[in-house]
């Protein structure tokens, strides 16, 4: 939406209010756009308030969850994890985990930057430590934007690389631009 691209949270909230005054109930698209505008404006509390309002009046979809996770992933990671897990329970992030050639894989297709970072942290902090035997490498699929709409601005790979660097997780070279490979042996040997 225009409000999202301009980071105009106040305008998005005003539009929702105007809809209500005109007797129009905001739908999931309206709520998602307003939440994403609040995320772009770095207003996580307002985005979370709108998300809770949306839960009471519409059926939030993956776009709605991605929007609120974009808003809260960095400033409120515990809340982000709870919300991402709720999205999983609703079936919005199916088949995020699988195995490929003996290595565990996290598939972040259909995740926004905030949802992807939240899923990554959950996976590395809760799921990977329980794996037996310990894998030598982890595969993280971010995609490389081939299926992204031309109007969509996102850098999921960059966000995931930043989170991995912050966690001290070394990566191995990959010829696939939509795939990151974590060197578990080097990471655990530190």
């Amino acid at each position: 939406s225009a409000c999202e691209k301009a980071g105009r949270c106040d305008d998005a909230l005003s539009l929702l209010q105007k809809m209500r005054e005109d007797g129009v109930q905001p739908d999931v698209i309206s709520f998602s756009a307003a939440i994403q505008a609040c995320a772009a404006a770095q207003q996580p509390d307002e985005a979370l308030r709108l998300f809770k309002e949306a839960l009471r009046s519409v059926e939030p979809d993956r776009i709605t969850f991605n929007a609120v996770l974009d808003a809260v992933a960095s400033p409120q990671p515990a809340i982000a994890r709870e919300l991402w897990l709720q999205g999983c329970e609703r079936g919005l992030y199916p088949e995020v985990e699988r195995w490929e050639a003996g290595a565990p894989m996290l598939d972040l297709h259909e995740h926004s930057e905030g949802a992807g970072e939240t899923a990554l942290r959950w996976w590395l902090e809760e799921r990977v430590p329980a794996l037996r035997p310990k894998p030598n490498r982890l595969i993280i699929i971010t995609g490389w934007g081939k299926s992204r709409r031309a109007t969509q601005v996102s850098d999921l790979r960059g966000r995931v690389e930043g989170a991995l660097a912050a966690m001290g997780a070394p990566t191995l070279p990959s010829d696939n631009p939509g795939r990151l490979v974590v060197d578990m042996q080097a990471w655990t040997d530190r």
Side-chain angles (χ1 to χ4, degrees):
S1 76
C3 292
E4 170 196 347
K5 287 177 182 51
R8 308 279 304 257
C9 181
D10 291 340
D11 289 345
L13 296 174
S14 294
L15 287 170
L16 285 180
Q17 185 59 35
K18 177 77 169 121
M19 288 175 72
R20 289 184 194 100
E21 289 169 5
D22 291 345
V24 177
Q25 176 60 35
D27 62 8
V28 69
I29 296 169
S30 304
F31 275 112
S32 296
I35 293 166
Q36 192 61 53
C38 292
Q42 298 182 2
Q43 298 291 322
D45 293 335
E46 195 60 43
L48 194 55
R49 184 192 67 74
L50 273 178
F51 179 77
K52 289 176 181 177
E53 185 180 333
L55 285 173
R56 292 189 299 271
S57 56
V58 298
E59 184 64 34
D61 59 15
R62 184 174 48 235
I63 295 167
T64 317
F65 273 84
N66 278 344
V68 74
L69 288 167
D70 281 347
V72 301
S74 293
Q76 300 171 349
I79 291 172
R81 184 171 297 192
E82 288 175 27
L83 292 173
W84 186 78
L85 289 171
Q86 286 177 26
C88 289
E89 289 171 8
R90 291 171 177 252
L92 302 176
Y93 300 107
E95 301 178 25
V96 70
E97 291 182 279
R98 58 181 191 260
W99 288 77
E100 180 180 284
M105 181 167 49
L106 180 68
D107 188 343
L108 299 176
H109 278 104
E110 306 299 330
H111 284 66
S112 66
E113 289 182 35
E117 178 182 346
T118 302
L120 174 73
R121 290 183 182 282
W122 163 81
W123 192 57
L124 292 175
E125 293 169 3
E126 292 188 25
R127 303 291 284 191
V128 170
L131 295 175
R132 299 288 182 263
K134 292 290 183 194
N136 291 328
R137 64 190 173 100
L138 305 173
I139 300 169
I140 302 161
I141 305 297
T142 62
W144 54 286
K146 186 173 160 184
S147 62
R148 188 175 302 131
R149 295 185 314 270
T151 58
Q152 192 176 13
V153 177
S154 176
D155 185 13
L156 178 57
R157 181 186 171 95
R159 182 85 170 250
V160 169
E161 285 177 319
L164 289 171
M167 297 173 90
T171 57
L172 298 168
S174 173
D175 58 354
N176 183 333
R179 173 182 298 236
L180 295 164
V181 180
V182 175
D183 185 345
M184 283 297 288
Q185 193 154 8
W187 196 16
T188 56
D189 287 348
R190 290 182 174 182

